[in-house]
Amino acid sequence: MNFSKHTTNKKLRSLNSNHKKVTTLIGTSFVRILVFAVVLVAVGGIAAGIGIANAIFDSAPEVDFESMIPEGYTSFIKDQNGNVLRELSIGDANRIYVEIDQIPQHVQDAFIVIEDERFYEHNGIDMRGIFRAIFVNFQSGDLSEGASTLTQQVIKNNVLSTEKSFERKIQEQYLAVQAEKALEKDEILELYLNTAALGRGTHGVQAAATRYFSKDVSELTVAEAAVIASITQRPTYYDPVINPENNRERQLIILQYLYNAEKITREELTYAVAEDVYGHIQVVNQEFEANSDYTYFVDEAIRRVRDDLKTKGYLANQATNLIYRGGLSIYITQDLEMQAVLDNAFANEDNFPTFEDDYNAYLQYSMSVSKNDGSIEHYYKDVVLPSDEDVEQEMANLKAEWVQEGETILSENHFVIPQPQAAMVVMDYYTGHVKAMVSGRGDKIGNNIFDRATQAKRQPGSTFKVLAAYLPAIDTMGFTLGDVYDDVPYTIDVPGSGPYTPNNWYNTKTSAYNFWGLSTIREGIQWSMNLLAIKTIADIGIDTGFDYLKRLGFTTLIEKEERNGQIFTDKVISLPLGGVTDGVTLIELTAAYGAIANGGVYTEPIFYTKVLNHDGSILLLKEPESHTVMKETTSFLLTNAMEDVVRSGTATPAKFDGMHIAGKTGTTSDSKDLAFIGYTPYYIAGIWMGHDQPEKMKHDKSYHKILWGNVMSELHVDLEDREFPMPEGIVRVSICTESGLRPVEGLCDNDPRGSTIRSEYFVQGTQPKDSCDVHISATVCETSGFFPTEFCPEEVLVDKVFIARREPLIPENWDPEDPPRIKDYEFEIPASMEGEFCPIHGHEELAPPIQLDEFGNPIIEEPTEGDPLSPEPIVELD
Ligand SMILES: [Zn+2]
Ligand SMILES: [Zn+2]
């Protein structure tokens, strides 16, 4: 097909003569006007006049029906320097268009009986079909489905947009009548049989015959023709590879229709019903997938070119023709050397959980066998097995079952897809260029398969803590990395959904502490602390967090949506923990962090930069969409905090020498998805690991971080280490990490755990001015560790530093069976004075020597009430 500017101009010119044709049409056929009026009334429910119909006809595009026959030039994938990386073709590009006399009669008939039984009688629209459809769709008043003649479908496939509007339907009918005037029935049928969408990216019967049966269309049997004709209305539902049962139902209907219409004999019907076509389809499918060698990257680049062509108004069929037969040059952003590093790392089994840790294998095995009785049998089986040895054994067993003595194997294919799976994408966050991508390990089966890096929607987990909570808090709400939240038992009452009690990842039965007490936002990022993120978003508002995510380029988040009567939304308090309705893609997650890496400017990830036509003119120019999401200072602070994640936090396995690295881990609470997004001053890379069918990971959850580090260290081997750039307006001041305020000498530096004074970065003006109010000093008896009484000797009295929370803990509310184990609780000043005084020193004459119990602790006798000698407490607090 010719999409050159010249043709467009020609089309535009002829559009002007449109009106005259309409007049002629209306003048010659009163009946036809009546028909359109009836349709308008029936569907729209309003009385529409000829004027409206006229306007709709006028806006219909003028069509050069002769130009629909596609041209045949090989297209090329090229790198940024114009070197050809590979050729694109579906079969033999030049011969895939077949003329009507090359298409067997039973193939033509199979489509006609199911799609348009009065094809040879009507003039483009089928009134009986329309009235039947109106009747069938009466309740919904929807005429957009069904009742389409083959002629209308030719218009739909080649001319009009796919939107289902009433106007488009009327235009389609009008143009169908025009097409019938311009072309012979056979020419229309030929166009239809060459352009109909037949699943798996195929358009036309020749492509489908090759894809499903590995033969020329002229060789298709009646049974095979019926399989292909079944696909057209719902290509996925009737996909004979993945939904053979659905396809079989429709295939039988077509065979029955063919017999009823006396297109085939009773013997042919019986033979066709008995033919084993679906086994053959599986075998051919495996052969096709084994022979397809487009990389994940090229697949994605083609998908994006196709999508962008559609955005520019091309139909799916036109876009596919153009890509594979238009002689295009597609310039992709891939760096082959970087790609090789990723490919090698993913091919190395040492980078993945071992068999003992976490492994199983998904086997797909197929075979065609020439049997001893002269028939040909096709076999296929897929099964999940615990080890590679089991795979070998299963294949041997199946082979023994399928092939008997003296029989010949005609073809044999197998794939092994190991689990857990992984995907990784490397991007230049300045330009948006995706440099390398691997979307799986083990066999890549087929072209344009479901992509784990760009299409799979998985849970982002803790990676959302930074994006949904801390980023917006710092960027708009004046939060700082030094702000302190208390990681203690916490329940928040959420309007509309009731109380919510978040849990920490370290809240396990065996952990020493299940709450870490007073912590800064920096520590919250470093250690991926759930409660800090939840408390932050509770303070800034869920809407604020959600809005930032949208601006960071996520397209799969749900604001509010009804599905099967249930309302879904991702605007929930737990949003920072990254459990969202549909999940997010790895590429979008990586690009979102790219905005932080890139000084706050989001840059859309792109896979190609331009597409040139056969004649060298520009068809598509890809400029990545780019916009500022956050202040440069915000991005600096977050990057600086995320350096701690890699240096000493949750991502230390990803660390490699000689480069500044920042990043954030993402683990879902159920451990079904593991992610790490990390970046250097040069590149950003995201990695995901998980099972294709989500299940809890059994391994220790560090493989993906190590793999990330291995790949990135190799990609940076010749690059000079440098710091992440610090923008203007950043100051560095000392704070106390218990209060987030200015440290007090003698207190904050004397915390019993060691000094809590740290140097922290602030946006000028947000640094604290007040002094620490959490640390306090009190005099205690060194012997007992409690407050002294009048009997404690002077020499054992010492000043000790405690923390005193602004919001005191309330141990009375704790479950006495399972009290929270709070890390800093022992450094808290005793909540209750009573009973916390030194019980060791007393009146010498009356106090017996201290007895020790079996653990070496003093055995204390309670003083009797009213005892005149019971010690009087003295308390000094600073
Ligand atoms: Zn302090
Ligand atoms: Zn004492």
Side-chain angles (χ1 to χ4, degrees), residues 286 289-290 296 349 362-364 413-418 421 439-446 449 452 692:
Q286 280 226 311
E289 290 176 339
Y296 289 110
E349 285 302 310
Y362 178 44
L363 168 71
Q364 299 180 358
N413 275 295
H414 79 276
F415 299 118
V416 180
I417 304 153
Q421 269 294 341
S439 306
R441 57 191 286 232
D443 295 325
K444 174 179 185 278
I445 50 172
I449 58 165
R452 296 182 187 91
D692 282 334

Side-chain angles (χ1 to χ4, degrees), residues 258-313:
L258 283 171
Y259 174 69
N260 293 352
E262 296 178 4
K263 302 291 183 190
I264 56 172
T265 64
R266 183 155 203 97
E267 291 69 38
E268 285 172 318
L269 174 66
T270 313
Y271 187 84
V273 168
E275 192 181 330
D276 168 27
V277 281
Y278 295 98
H280 186 209
I281 286 171
Q282 292 300 342
V283 172
V284 171
N285 185 55
Q286 280 226 311
E287 264 165 31
F288 179 86
E289 290 176 339
N291 290 330
S292 58
D293 55 354
Y294 297 164
T295 60
Y296 289 110
F297 198 106
V298 168
D299 275 349
E300 182 65 23
I302 293 173
R303 268 196 294 274
R304 291 193 177 226
V305 168
R306 184 184 287 126
D307 287 349
D308 291 343
L309 284 172
K310 283 195 214 162
T311 308
K312 290 192 79 176

Side-chain angles (χ1 to χ4, degrees), residues 736 739 748 756 772 775:
C736 166
S739 61
C748 305
T756 59
C772 177
H775 279 115

